Amino acid sequence: MSRLIIVSNRVARPDALNKGSQGGLAVGVLAAMADSGGLWFGWNGRIENRPVSEIREESRGNINFVTIGLRQNEYNNFYRGYANSVLWPLFHQRPDLMTYRHHYRMGYLGVNRKYVDHLLPYLKPDDTIWIHDYQLIPMAKMLREAGVSSPIGFFLHTPFPPLDLLRALPDHKDVLTELLNYDLVGFHTLTDERGFHEAIRYSMKGDISPSGLIDCQGHQLQTGVYPIGIETDDIPDLVKTGKHSKEYQQLKLELGDRKLLIGVDRLDYSKGLFHRFKSYEQLLKNYSDFHRRVVYMQVAPTSRGDVKAYGQLAQQIDQAAGHVNGTYADFDWTPLRYLNRGFRRNTILALYNLAHIGFVTPLRDGMNLVAKEFVAAQDPDNPGVLILSKMAGASAELKSAIIVNPYDTEAVANHLATAIQMPLDERKDRWEQMMETLRRNDIQAWQRNFRRDLVPRPHAI
Ligand code: ADQ
């Protein structure tokens, strides 16, 4: 098999993953590369002052990591600007949170060109190139213009918006043209793929065959649905080691026979924390029997704290958490524990295992790996219950979860009550069905299927 070149904005070194705030892309890509090995290229996460970027090369096992830094203005316009103040809110159906500036677009293109220039010397003719996520959409076009003829695939980790929303982006036709330059474009769900097809058909006048083969403006490319998985078989061992952590031990002791509800998310408006806190508050209001019998722990480390919408969100969430505890806490019971920090991966998995309910209610999410990890971390003889938003990509696969509409806070409260009291037989049945999916479509299947479909196709340059 040819050498795999992965490009993503952030590159996660294995030891960095243990700090617990890397996010789903890094977790997934690292697990996918464990078998195949290859080269992983991207930003080292640092802001640098030097005019020419220093390239850092490191190897761990069969993976070579090649990273570069970003200058302050590149970070501002590319990362904080176009990627996280334009594309992220738009792709998560929040155009109201979008701040569009022309110089953001210029900065975005500039950093993509910089990545291409620094990557080119590492490429060999028979490599397979796999670009990840919304920060790097223009790379294939730029690589092709530089003469690269290797197969180039793209995977979108976020949702793809419907055309009516995409049109709010002034450059949407440029973005679509850039995507046409890939040989394969992959999505988490059929809904996302359908959104892309709709945009190609009506905005770009492209032809699409029933199997997802696109013919448009001299480009041919394939699209496909590749729901990202997790390292399902390795999780029980990670849970075991995580149980030795002092956080797990202490929480277990403090809980006693109280039932734990757990939520784990980057602090992001797409994750629906405000609505989630309101649903929990509604549960406490409607079901006083549960007072002192449940504890909800929400773990949410700060993410993109220097983007305006995120600062406002942090304040709103602090207040909402304070309101729940202000209303219901007593000297011997804190109903909501809100922790603004990351955990080691095995610790977080052990905490999932300790929980009776996985509380996963994003307002919009590409997939949501926390939902899958929660299920895989359960004890087969006494599994917990997953409450899962229908707005997460994972709901297309984990159909035996309790599927909820996160905006309907009263209904979510009732579903929480059902989950808290669910009999063991029903918990086991639901869990078995979800595990069957997680075993069949694990992280290795995800990368195998994508790479199987990534073959070179004709492109007009
Ligand atoms: P994210 O938005 O980052 O990922 P998610 O898929 O839930 O969301 O992945 C988060 C990962 O980070 C999980 O593995 C989780 O266990 C870990 N994590 C989060 N908070 C943590 C904490 N405090 N401590 C330790 N670990 C923590 C993006 C998309 C998703 C998509 C993934 C993968 O937004 O929709 O599922 O990429 O494609």
Side-chain angles (χ1 to χ4, degrees), residues 20 24 157 188 266 271 299 301 341 343 365-369 373:
H157 289 258
H188 282 307
R266 284 182 306 98
K271 303 293 183 183
V299 178
R341 57 164 284 199
F343 286 91
D365 215 333
M367 172 55 65
N368 196 296
L369 292 177
E373 292 164 353

Side-chain angles (χ1 to χ4, degrees), residues 19-25 27 88 92 133 155 157-158 188 228 264-266 271 299-301 341-345 348 352 365-370 373:
K19 292 189 188 130
S21 53
Q22 293 283 335
L25 184 151
V27 171
W88 177 274
H92 287 85
D133 231 5
F155 188 81
H157 289 258
T158 68
H188 282 307
I228 194 169
V264 174
D265 308 76
R266 284 182 306 98
K271 303 293 183 183
V299 178
R341 57 164 284 199
F343 286 91
R344 292 171 66 89
R345 186 157 171 73
I348 207 85
Y352 294 149
D365 215 333
M367 172 55 65
N368 196 296
L369 292 177
V370 170
E373 292 164 353

